[in-house]
Amino acid sequence: MNEFRIRVKLLNELLQKKQEALSAILNICENEETVITNGAGGDNDRGLLRAMAEEKQSNINIVLESDEIFETTFSRIRDGFEQNAKENKEAVTSMKALISAVCDLDIKIRLKEEQNKKLLDEKNKRISSFIPKEKVAKLYAAGNSQKNHPRPEAGGKRHD
């Protein structure tokens, strides 16, 4: 097997790894939508969303690492790519199909993330509308009074 074939095989493996990670991210986004739309918005939901965000970040790291290795590997065969691509048509065709699938997943993820953000914003607006204005004013006033008159540190003196 020549060097070009080996590198194209590696590129295909990296694209498959990226595709798997992106599929996992899309699945997480769909689960986030379920929690946002069906959840009550309490601590349990926030905990679930936080755990999902951590899992999503783990998969994002896989995508970024795969991209970095892909770029490095592709840069080594870029110059002779067109000539060698004709000789290795099957591997290159597979790579093109994977690139297309990866792009489709990326678009679906972006759309789902945008949709989830809108759903979450709407839910937060509904939740905040249930809090009486008087309570919000008291919380705001209490927060401002603490900012304007900080508590002295333990053992320290207050300097006004």
Side-chain angles (χ1 to χ4, degrees):
M1 209 181 241
N2 69 19
E3 181 182 345
F4 180 82
R5 281 190 199 141
I6 293 170
R7 292 196 189 279
V8 169
K9 184 178 178 188
L10 174 62
L11 292 173
N12 276 311
E13 290 169 0
L14 289 167
L15 287 168
Q16 288 170 346
K17 186 176 181 180
K18 182 175 180 175
Q19 183 181 24
E20 290 169 8
L22 288 172
S23 292
I25 292 169
L26 181 58
N27 187 42
I28 292 167
C29 289
E30 290 167 349
N31 290 335
E32 286 174 333
E33 177 186 13
T34 301
V35 171
I36 293 167
T37 56
N38 298 330
D43 289 338
N44 191 35
D45 289 348
R46 284 189 291 275
L48 284 171
L49 291 172
R50 196 173 308 113
M52 289 179 196
E54 289 171 6
E55 181 66 25
K56 194 185 321 180
Q57 186 59 52
S58 174
N59 282 290
I60 289 170
N61 292 342
I62 291 170
V63 169
L64 294 173
E65 179 183 320
S66 297
D67 282 346
E68 187 177 312
I69 297 169
F70 186 94
E71 287 294 323
T72 302
T73 303
F74 186 76
S75 69
R76 292 183 178 154
I77 62 170
R78 180 177 285 131
D79 294 336
F81 190 81
E82 209 165 298
Q83 175 192 351
N84 288 306
K86 293 174 186 173
E87 298 168 9
N88 300 284
K89 188 174 183 173
E90 186 178 314
V92 172
T93 302
S94 173
M95 190 168 67
K96 286 180 181 180
L98 284 167
I99 290 170
S100 177
V102 163
C103 289
D104 289 345
L105 281 168
D106 184 53
I107 290 168
K108 288 177 183 177
I109 289 168
R110 290 172 191 259
L111 290 171
K112 184 59 72 178
E113 287 282 355
E114 187 176 311
Q115 178 186 4
N116 286 350
K117 184 183 180 317
K118 287 179 184 177
L119 288 171
L120 194 57
D121 288 346
E122 288 172 14
K123 187 169 195 163
N124 287 336
K125 284 180 185 177
R126 283 193 310 262
I127 290 171
S128 66
S129 70
F130 291 119
I131 300 173
K133 291 179 182 178
E134 297 80 23
K135 185 173 182 177
V136 172
K138 285 180 184 178
L139 290 171
Y140 179 77
N144 276 342
S145 69
Q146 287 179 357
K147 286 179 188 174
N148 294 333
H149 303 289
R151 293 183 179 172
E153 293 183 21
K157 294 183 178 179
R158 186 172 176 164
H159 300 284
D160 286 325

